[in-house]
């Protein structure tokens, strides 16, 4: 049976080397019974000719928004209405960015705005470009709008790099296109379940801060950053765009998250208060040093005296300052306590104007600082949830879910 019998598929081709595979893609889609029309960007025509695609599709190829003859034959709105399904393959970083920005600067981007048909994109680009935060943000934006992303695949790339970013093979693209017609309801449900945080901006502080004494010495603490990084991973996996502002840690940055490396509390404060302007959720997981040196020595301090005094001044409270912003994000703090956990945690919740605080008892061995496991009790103004001892990855998933539930409730009220 031809699964695409009578289906009208508009194939958008943008300017990537994988464009050379598109004549074969057109033929395989037609083998499944589809009527295929091709739209090419200017860049695509540098890789493959419209004549080739006209020959294999048996339809005129469209490549211009402003061509009077083409508009007479089938105008862009007509073409947008004609399509049952739009597949953009290869989809370059550039075309993805333009669509995510809502641009209508050429025929293909205009069609994406003008169509009511489902759209799938098959990214094709260098692995570094694929991992770039800009591209990932754009992909998250598109998936949150209901676009489907086919791939990309991993492997050797035209530029010699190895990694994610290859356009899927033609037969995989045909199979996935067929599935869009055979399993549309199931796919919609899968998409909704898969990415509940799509479109959300999460900002997370993590790790310790270092307060310089002189060019070679500093004051710091034992925070490993593991909890903050685990929260970043959990939020990213649920579709959030995640930025971590991290003090010095020995951890690999989670995939698709952006890390901003800082040293001191002042640097972390400056980054957090700037980036929080655009954040939906702020999670202050960092163990920020409470005090810093009032003056940092320019030269290494000599041990010429038997005793010495360091003059410390208080650091700004980052989470409290974010929570005091006019358009404050949903703000989550942490409290590491050795006694009377609920009393102190609730005190900080109120004093710092937080929406939520996650408290752990650091007096209990095997959890908290530098450990792989942790247990938390999470408080909001009128709720409380115990997250029992488990590894930080699992705990982070439970915490992210609890944050998401409360964040969604806060939007309703
Ligand atoms: O007051 P305390 O340090 O116990 O509060 C802990 C919480 O406040 C954590 O969320 C921590 O990241 C945050 N904090 C901060 N800036 C500071 C001190 C703490 O953001 N200067």
């Amino acid at each position: 049976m031809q699964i695409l019998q009578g289906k009208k598929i508009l194939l958008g081709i943008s300017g990537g080397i994988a464009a050379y595979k598109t004549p074969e893609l057109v033929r395989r889609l037609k083998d499944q019974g589809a009527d295929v029309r091709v739209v090419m960007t200017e860049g695509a025509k540098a890789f493959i000719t419209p004549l080739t695609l006209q020959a294999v599709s048996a339809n005129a190829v469209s490549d211009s928004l402003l061509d009077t003859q083409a508009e007479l034959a089938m105008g862009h709105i007509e073409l947008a209405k004609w399509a049952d399904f739009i597949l953009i393959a290869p989809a370059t970083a550039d075309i993805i960015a333009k669509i995510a920005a809502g641009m209508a600067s050429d025929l293909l981007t205009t069609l994406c705005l003008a169509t009511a048909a489902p759209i799938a994109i098959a990214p094709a680009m260098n692995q570094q470009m694929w991992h770039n935060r800009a591209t990932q943000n754009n992909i998250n934006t598109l998936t949150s709008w209901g676009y489907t992303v086919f791939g990309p695949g991993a492997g050797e790339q035209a530029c010699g790099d190895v990694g994610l970013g290859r356009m899927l093979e033609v037969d995989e693209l045909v199979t996935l296109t067929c599935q869009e017609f055979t399993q549309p309801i199931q796919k919609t449900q899968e998409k909704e379940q898969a990415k509940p945080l799509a479109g959300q901006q999460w900002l997370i502080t993590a790790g310790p801060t270092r307060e310089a004494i002189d060019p070679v010495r500093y004051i710091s603490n034992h925070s490993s950053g593991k909890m903050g990084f685990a929260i970043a991973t959990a939020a990213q996996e649920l579709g959030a765009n995640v930025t971590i502002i991290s003090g010095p840690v020995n951890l690999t940055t989670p995939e698709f998250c952006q890390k901003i490396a800082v040293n001191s509390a002042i640097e972390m404060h400056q980054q957090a208060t700037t980036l929080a302007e655009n954040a939906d959720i702020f999670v202050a997981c960092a163990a920020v040093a409470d005090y810093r040196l009032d003056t940092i020595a320019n030269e290494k301090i000599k041990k010429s005296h038997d005793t010495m005094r360091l003059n410390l001044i208080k650091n700004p409270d980052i989470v409290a300052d974010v929570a005091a912003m006019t358009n404050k994000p949903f703000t989550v703090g942490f409290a590491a306590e050795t006694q009377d956990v609920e009393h102190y945690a609730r005190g900080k919740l109120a004093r710092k104007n937080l929406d939520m605080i996650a408290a752990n008892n650091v007096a209990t061995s095997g959890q908290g600082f530098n450990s792989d496991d942790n247990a938390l009790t999470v408080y909001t103004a009128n709720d409380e949830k115990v997250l029992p001892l488990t590894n930080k990855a699992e705990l982070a998933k439970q915490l992210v879910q609890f944050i998401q539930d409360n964040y969604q409730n806060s939007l309703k009220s």
Side-chain angles (χ1 to χ4, degrees):
M1 187 189 122
Q2 290 180 304
I3 295 170
L4 301 179
Q5 187 60 47
K7 302 296 180 206
K8 298 182 191 111
I9 296 190
L10 198 150
L11 175 65
I13 307 176
S14 62
I17 178 66
Y20 82 88
K21 297 181 180 175
T22 53
E24 184 62 13
L25 177 58
V26 172
R27 292 182 57 188
R28 296 283 82 85
L29 291 169
K30 284 176 69 75
D31 286 349
Q32 291 294 335
D35 185 5
V36 182
R37 283 183 176 271
V38 174
V39 171
M40 299 176 79
T41 65
E42 278 306 307
K45 290 191 286 182
F47 291 94
I48 184 120
T49 69
L51 193 59
T52 308
L53 289 149
Q54 180 178 301
V56 287
S57 68
N59 276 318
V61 170
S62 312
D63 57 4
S64 170
L65 189 57
L66 306 171
D67 181 326
T68 44
Q69 284 309 312
E71 280 292 295
L72 259 185
M74 188 182 253
H76 62 276
I77 298 294
E78 225 176 315
L79 198 52
K81 286 187 177 151
W82 173 85
D84 294 320
F85 184 72
I86 296 182
L87 170 61
I88 304 178
T92 58
D94 180 67
I95 197 86
I96 291 169
K98 284 181 178 151
I99 300 169
M103 288 174 70
S105 50
D106 62 8
L107 181 59
L108 185 52
T109 49
T110 304
L111 290 171
C112 290
L113 279 186
T115 192
I119 305 176
I121 57 170
M125 67 195 75
N126 163 269
Q127 53 86 23
Q128 198 69 47
M129 292 169 75
W130 170 251
H131 285 113
N132 189 289
R133 181 171 158 80
T135 306
Q136 286 306 309
N137 280 353
N138 291 333
I139 291 286
N140 282 337
T141 301
L142 294 186
T143 48
S144 74
W145 293 348
Y147 279 58
T148 304
V149 182
F150 290 168
E156 195 172 332
Q157 306 197 304
C159 56
D161 279 10
V162 177
L164 270 181
R166 281 171 60 93
M167 188 173 85
L168 292 185
E169 295 304 331
V170 165
D171 52 352
E172 292 174 290
L173 292 177
V174 174
T175 305
L176 290 166
T177 303
C178 290
Q179 278 172 13
E180 291 295 309
F181 289 94
T182 52
Q183 308 161 358
I185 294 166
Q186 185 193 334
K187 284 198 71 72
T188 309
Q189 285 167 348
E190 273 172 15
K191 262 188 247 165
E192 278 167 8
Q193 278 166 10
K195 300 280 180 188
L197 308 189
Q200 290 181 13
Q201 306 286 338
W202 283 54
L203 182 64
I204 300 168
T205 66
T209 64
R210 280 183 187 170
E211 309 303 328
I213 299 172
D214 66 15
V216 295
R217 304 183 181 93
Y218 56 81
I219 299 173
S220 192
N221 59 62
H222 289 297
S223 171
S224 63
K226 285 178 189 166
M227 194 66 221
F229 277 53
I231 294 168
T233 303
Q236 194 284 324
E237 282 173 355
L238 291 180
N241 293 324
V242 180
T243 303
I244 313 167
I245 307 171
S246 176
V249 292
N250 271 322
L251 298 172
T252 309
T253 305
E255 230 191 350
F256 306 132
C257 295
Q258 189 192 15
K259 186 181 107 168
I260 296 175
V262 295
N263 275 306
S264 65
I266 293 291
E267 285 168 19
M268 188 176 274
H269 181 267
Q270 198 261 327
Q271 291 287 350
T273 48
T274 306
L275 295 172
E277 297 275 353
N278 293 319
D280 299 300
I281 315 259
F282 178 62
V283 184
C285 208
V288 185
D290 292 323
Y291 293 89
R292 68 180 183 280
L293 277 287
D294 68 347
T295 28
I296 302 170
N298 287 330
E299 305 295 339
K300 186 181 171 194
I301 300 170
K302 294 290 174 197
K303 46 177 182 282
S304 43
H305 301 286
D306 286 342
T307 60
M308 72 178 291
R309 279 173 176 276
L310 293 177
N311 227 352
L312 303 177
I313 52 172
K314 208 161 193 185
N315 270 326
D317 192 311
I318 300 168
V319 75
D321 285 354
V322 168
M325 288 167 49
T326 327
N327 266 334
K328 77 161 184 142
F330 186 90
T331 304
V332 183
F334 271 74
E337 308 293 346
T338 52
Q339 55 172 331
D340 223 352
V341 175
E342 174 163 7
H343 174 73
Y344 286 116
R346 283 203 176 280
K348 281 175 199 174
L349 181 74
R351 198 169 57 249
K352 300 189 188 205
N353 190 32
L354 309 180
D355 297 293
M356 182 181 284
I357 193 153
N360 54 350
N361 188 335
V362 284
T364 315
S365 70
Q367 66 184 62
F369 269 1
N370 231 330
S371 157
D372 287 330
D373 295 333
N374 203 2
L376 294 169
T377 308
V378 192
Y379 303 96
T380 65
N382 38 34
D383 198 5
E384 166 179 344
K385 189 174 178 78
V386 176
L387 305 179
L389 186 66
T390 182
N391 63 70
K392 285 182 176 171
E394 176 53 35
L395 191 70
K397 284 185 189 162
Q398 295 173 19
L399 179 61
V400 164
Q401 189 57 56
F402 192 59
I403 293 173
Q404 163 73 350
D405 293 346
N406 279 272
Y407 169 62
Q408 292 301 337
N409 285 340
S410 75
L411 295 180
K412 287 180 205 148
S413 57

